Amino acid sequence: MTNSLEAQRIVLQGSRCTVCGTVAFPASTLCSRCVTPTAEPVDLSTSGTVWAHTVQRFPPKSPPYVPPVGGFTPFAVGWVELSEGIRIEAILDTENVDDLHGALVHLTAVVPVPRFEVVEAGPSSAPSTVGDTA
């Protein structure tokens, strides 16, 4: 018998290849690296770090977007890096959408898309840039 906390647990389902160890999201039976049908389901981390982000400052095209009752509010979208070494695109729930680079986040929803809540503001005030190489 499971308790109500386990029943409410939010899980981000990915896959891990049994041959090369590659982790992927969303889950698949085919490994995206070695292209073999050897990937198995795995629960991914529920916490991560914002790797890069942007702010959606205008309503998306409708349909499929359905405006909320109170009207559109700008929201953050970004890439969250998980401990498994992969990055997941997600909506980022926060009061301050301007400085999220490096922020710690926790998974709050997976449907219709992954959604993470900011736990701690990022250490950097510099804007994040995708594609930087060190």
Side-chain angles (χ1 to χ4, degrees), residues 48-56 75-82 86-94 96-105 114 116 118 122-124 126-133:
T49 305
V50 176
W51 180 74
H53 74 283
T54 190
V55 179
Q56 178 73 34
F75 60 93
V77 177
W79 291 95
V80 174
E81 187 165 24
L82 303 178
I86 62 171
R87 296 176 183 133
I88 305 293
E89 186 177 15
I91 293 175
L92 305 172
D93 291 325
T94 182
N96 181 6
V97 296
D98 296 319
D99 185 23
L100 295 175
H101 185 73
L104 300 177
V105 292
F116 287 81
V118 173
S124 167
S128 63
T129 54
V130 177
D132 277 359
T133 56

Side-chain angles (χ1 to χ4, degrees), residues 29-71:
T29 56
L30 184 66
C31 176
S32 59
R33 184 173 189 189
C34 65
V35 196
T36 60
T38 56
E40 295 181 339
V42 63
D43 290 351
L44 299 174
S45 301
T46 57
S47 296
T49 305
V50 176
W51 180 74
H53 74 283
T54 190
V55 179
Q56 178 73 34
R57 297 193 188 273
F58 55 89
K61 183 179 177 183
S62 183
Y65 176 73
V66 177
V69 176

Side-chain angles (χ1 to χ4, degrees), residues 112-126:
V113 296
R115 204 174 184 104
F116 287 81
E117 181 177 19
V118 173
V119 176
E120 180 182 308
S124 167
S125 60

Side-chain angles (χ1 to χ4, degrees), residues 67-73:
V69 176
F72 175 79
T73 303

